[in-house]
Every structure is written in structure tokens, then in C-alpha cells.
Amino acid sequence: MKRILITGASRGIGRAIAEKLAEPDVTLLLHGRDTVALAGTCKAIQGRCAGVVKLIHDLATEKGVANLIAQVGTDPLNVLINNAGIAVVKPFREITFEEWRQTIGVNITAPFLLMQRFAGQMLPGSSIVNILSVAAKTAFPNWSAYCMSKFALEGLSQSVRAELGEHCIRVINIYPAATNTEIWDDVAGDWPRDKMIAADQVADAVAYALSRPADVAVENITLSNAAGNL
């Protein structure tokens, strides 16, 4: 029986990944903060997998991460998917300290703590998937806090990969360009959402990388619109 933990599984990319990975031999541990949306994800996949565990915790706080870790327990994970993230989009001079703190907490500290805690329990052939962004490699105006966090997670991921390779634990980084999810509902501006990639396409990339033989590592996958990044 496989155990897969997905953070940020209430909607968007996280939900698409959960739906893609739901199999009869899989127990999905799904994290989210929106209890209603997370319940919707669980309901959509409940009959397709061995079990679903709801993890309702705030990853912006150390206590929230600790409570999630405690609920996951000590049984090994086969896959950890760090997908949860927040985006503060505004000129850098307008970013509040609380927004900065939350960005660091959810986008950097939580993945660090989860990888640190669960990697030691993972068996050879297990995988860690980090959902990054093209913003981990390219800076965009008004996205300074988000880019900062993704650049940081990029460095962390590369270093963790170098350490875990000898234990045959894969670290897979996914770099989506603008993806048409609910996150854009709260971003001011006229964004061409019809030209964005779909959450299902990101989920397909995750599933493909995880489906490779245990001794094959598809380490970095970048996804973008054929016409270029938005």
C-alpha cells in the first residue's frame, strides 16, 4: 500500500494531482485549509483509492506544520508532494510584514520541515515532488515575495536532492508557467487565463515523473504555453 501526502490539495494543481494519483493501492493524505473545498476533493476520489485522510492545518505557522506531521504519523511515505503555496502580488514597497512572513512560512519553511521530517522514514525508491514555478528562475515585477520564495525553494530542493541521492530517494521539481487556477481570482489585472496551462497538465507531469522506474529520475520538468510565458 502506497502512502502519498499532498499539500494544498483543496483545489487547483493540488486537487488535479490527487485525482491523477488516486489508485486502488494508494492512501492519499490530503492537506488543505478550506474545509469545504478539501471535502470536495476527498469526495471526488474516495471511491478510487484505498483511503483518504484529511489534514486541515495552517502551514504558515510552525504549530500548523507540527500538527500535520503528528497526524501523518510514523508510517513511511512513498511520495511527499509540496504543492501548497501563496502568492502576494503587489509592488514590493507595499508588501506588509505579515504577508512576507506568511509567504516564507507556506512556500519555504513548510516544505523544509516536511522534507526534513519525512525523508528519514522514506524507503529507497520513494520520491519528493516540489511544485515550484518558472518564477523560481525568472523574476517578474510585482511578484517579488513569490519569486523570492520560489528561488529559495529551488536552492533548497537542489541541495536536498544532492543529499538524498545516495539513499535512492528522488527529488522531482516541477516548474509550471502561469496555470489557470483559482489563485488568479484574487490577483488584480486582466490576465489571459484562456492561454494559461491547465492544472491537469501539471498533474500529468507529476504522474509521469513518478511512474518512471525507481532507478530513473526525471528531475526537472518545465511546463509552459507554446507561445511563451505570460
Side-chain angles (χ1 to χ4, degrees):
M1 189 68 63
K2 297 179 182 178
R3 298 179 82 224
I4 300 176
L5 169 58
I6 306 172
T7 65
S10 298
R11 52 173 61 88
I13 292 173
R15 173 166 177 159
I17 293 172
E19 293 178 345
K20 185 67 63 174
L21 299 184
E23 298 287 348
D25 64 339
V26 170
T27 294
L28 287 171
L29 299 95
L30 303 181
H31 157 267
R33 287 191 304 164
D34 186 327
T35 57
V36 175
L38 186 61
T41 299
C42 294
K43 182 178 180 180
I45 63 175
Q46 202 129 28
R48 296 162 42 201
C49 56
V52 180
V53 178
K54 287 187 286 187
L55 307 166
I56 303 171
H57 303 285
D58 184 1
L59 298 188
T61 68
E62 185 178 348
K63 181 180 179 181
V65 178
N67 289 341
L68 182 148
I69 288 172
Q71 189 177 351
V72 170
T74 57
D75 291 339
L77 293 174
N78 298 94
V79 181
L80 164 63
I81 300 178
N82 288 308
N83 168 72
I86 60 174
V88 176
V89 184
K90 59 172 63 173
F92 83 95
R93 295 179 63 189
E94 298 177 11
I95 297 171
T96 67
F97 179 75
E98 180 61 17
E99 290 170 334
W100 182 262
R101 185 192 67 79
Q102 288 182 339
T103 300
I104 291 174
V106 176
N107 294 6
I108 307 172
T109 304
F112 164 73
L113 292 174
L114 295 179
M115 288 190 288
Q116 186 182 59
R117 176 63 181 85
F118 294 124
Q121 300 173 333
M122 296 177 113
L123 300 174
S126 301
S127 299
I128 295 171
V129 180
N130 292 315
I131 306 299
L132 289 115
S133 166
V134 292
K137 298 180 178 182
T138 303
F140 299 97
N142 298 325
W143 291 77
S144 58
Y146 185 76
C147 288
M148 171 278 302
S149 67
K150 293 301 182 178
F151 269 71
L153 185 56
E154 163 78 356
L156 174 63
S157 300
Q158 299 289 357
S159 296
V160 170
R161 175 186 289 161
E163 292 186 34
L164 295 182
E166 64 181 281
H167 303 288
C168 297
I169 297 173
R170 303 182 295 190
V171 177
I172 300 164
N173 293 339
I174 309 294
Y175 305 87
T179 306
N180 188 13
T181 67
E182 292 86 346
I183 194 172
W184 295 96
D185 295 345
D186 299 320
V187 178
D190 184 17
W191 300 94
R193 295 176 63 163
D194 59 320
K195 297 181 180 179
M196 295 180 181
I197 62 175
D200 287 346
Q201 294 169 323
V202 182
D204 285 341
V206 173
Y208 171 78
L210 291 175
S211 71
R212 298 307 87 196
D215 60 346
V216 175
V218 180
E219 295 185 335
N220 302 309
I221 299 178
T222 300
L223 299 165
S224 181
N225 187 292
N229 296 331
L230 301 179

